[in-house]
Amino acid sequence: MNQKNRQMENQNHYYIIWAIRLLLIISILANIVFITLHLLSDDLVTKKEIIEELSQRIELLFWSVVTLTLTFLPDYIEYKNIHLPHILEIIIVIFIFAGIFLSVRFELYYNVFWWDDVLHTLSGVIIGFLGFIIIYKINSKYSMDISPLLVAVFAFTFAMTMGVIWEIFEFAMDVFFGTTMQSWDLPHDTTLIGRAFQGSGLRDTMSDLIVNSLGALLTSVICYFLYKREKKKALALMHEIFPDA
């Protein structure tokens, strides 16, 4: 890639990520203004209506701040001299934006039955590639003369492990804080795998793990053939990501 094309790619990457951040900043400011005006308003509304409206706005404000903070994760990684490919950075930021802010703002987990499955599938794909990057970091100072099958298995198991840890986190949040992260309060007619007597919480958790495993499997297959057939290109890319390795 010539210098001009590289500069254009850097600019496009910069614009996309900052466009998302700008939307989040606008949301944060708009909710702060709304909350302030609502508290100062003299409209004759019940206390219950005020509490419900403010709680929704405060929740959205909170998740907007969390999402905005997490969009700087790739910058922090770059600061640590780890140069993720621009396309992977954009995918991670869009995934964070969609998985947190858009999901809360439009209640997509409840209004779009396939939304949760898509996010968990993509998480399996993304984390699988991160596993591929990690195995290079672990072995680069010793030897990368390792089996492509081992690379694929590590990418798969790493993604699956992260998926299981996330489900444990959701379970703990529901138990200790009374949240509904495992969707145990979904309507009985919600489209889920399994049988109704198994409960929506179990069915939601198992569907998350299943689609996560499919995403991880897809990534592991790609990593296998990439490392087996294009090992030099793969290692050159890894060296760009970890220039000090």
Side-chain angles (χ1 to χ4, degrees):
M1 181 182 296
N2 59 45
Q3 186 66 24
K4 185 177 180 180
N5 289 338
R6 188 179 296 274
Q7 288 178 350
M8 290 182 61
E9 181 183 334
N10 290 340
Q11 288 180 348
N12 293 335
H13 155 262
Y14 177 85
Y15 291 147
I16 291 172
I17 291 180
W18 271 102
I20 292 174
R21 289 171 180 165
L22 181 60
L23 289 174
L24 291 167
I25 292 171
I26 292 172
S27 174
I28 291 170
L29 295 176
N31 279 288
I32 290 175
V33 170
F34 181 90
I35 292 170
T36 303
L37 293 177
H38 208 69
L39 289 173
L40 298 175
S41 175
D42 294 328
D43 292 343
L44 296 176
V45 292
T46 65
K47 183 178 180 180
K48 181 180 180 182
E49 290 174 335
I50 294 176
I51 293 175
E52 289 179 353
E53 186 68 28
L54 288 180
S55 63
Q56 292 176 359
R57 292 289 177 167
I58 291 172
E59 180 183 10
L60 182 57
L61 174 62
F62 170 78
W63 288 116
S64 297
V65 173
V66 170
T67 306
L68 179 62
T69 303
L70 290 177
T71 62
F72 287 94
L73 180 61
D75 296 89
Y76 176 77
I77 294 174
E78 188 81 16
Y79 174 76
K80 293 295 183 180
N81 205 28
I82 301 173
H83 307 306
L84 295 178
H86 290 326
I87 184 63
L88 184 56
E89 286 189 29
I90 292 172
I91 290 173
I92 290 173
V93 171
I94 292 176
F95 179 79
I96 292 171
F97 177 68
I100 301 177
F101 177 77
L102 291 183
S103 297
V104 174
R105 174 63 181 83
F106 300 104
E107 298 184 341
L108 295 178
Y109 287 119
Y110 294 94
N111 296 329
V112 182
F113 74 91
W114 46 262
W115 182 254
D116 191 40
D117 291 337
V118 169
L119 290 180
H120 279 278
T121 303
L122 289 176
S123 70
V125 172
I126 294 171
I127 297 174
F129 278 117
L130 292 179
F132 183 37
I133 293 173
I134 288 171
I135 198 172
Y136 172 82
K137 179 62 176 177
I138 294 173
N139 292 275
S140 60
K141 293 183 179 179
Y142 303 98
S143 172
M144 286 304 294
D145 187 22
I146 54 181
S147 166
L149 181 60
L150 176 61
V151 173
V153 169
F154 182 86
F156 178 80
T157 54
F158 181 76
M160 284 301 300
T161 300
M162 293 299 102
V164 170
I165 290 174
W166 176 257
E167 294 303 320
I168 293 174
F169 168 74
E170 286 190 347
F171 176 78
M173 290 294 291
D174 288 354
V175 169
F176 296 111
F177 298 101
T179 59
T180 60
M181 296 188 70
Q182 291 190 301
S183 303
W184 45 264
D185 63 341
L186 289 176
H188 293 295
D189 58 350
T190 303
T191 303
L192 292 170
I193 64 172
R195 303 290 184 178
F197 66 82
Q198 293 174 307
S200 60
L202 173 61
R203 293 154 70 195
D204 174 74
T205 298
M206 291 309 302
S207 64
D208 290 347
L209 290 175
I210 289 170
V211 296
N212 181 80
S213 67
L214 293 177
L217 180 61
L218 174 62
T219 298
S220 65
V221 171
I222 294 174
C223 290
Y224 174 82
F225 286 105
L226 179 64
Y227 197 74
K228 184 178 179 65
R229 298 181 179 179
E230 302 288 347
K231 183 176 180 179
K232 289 184 178 180
K233 290 183 180 180
L235 292 180
L237 175 61
M238 292 298 106
H239 184 67
E240 289 183 11
I241 295 174
F242 297 105
D244 294 336

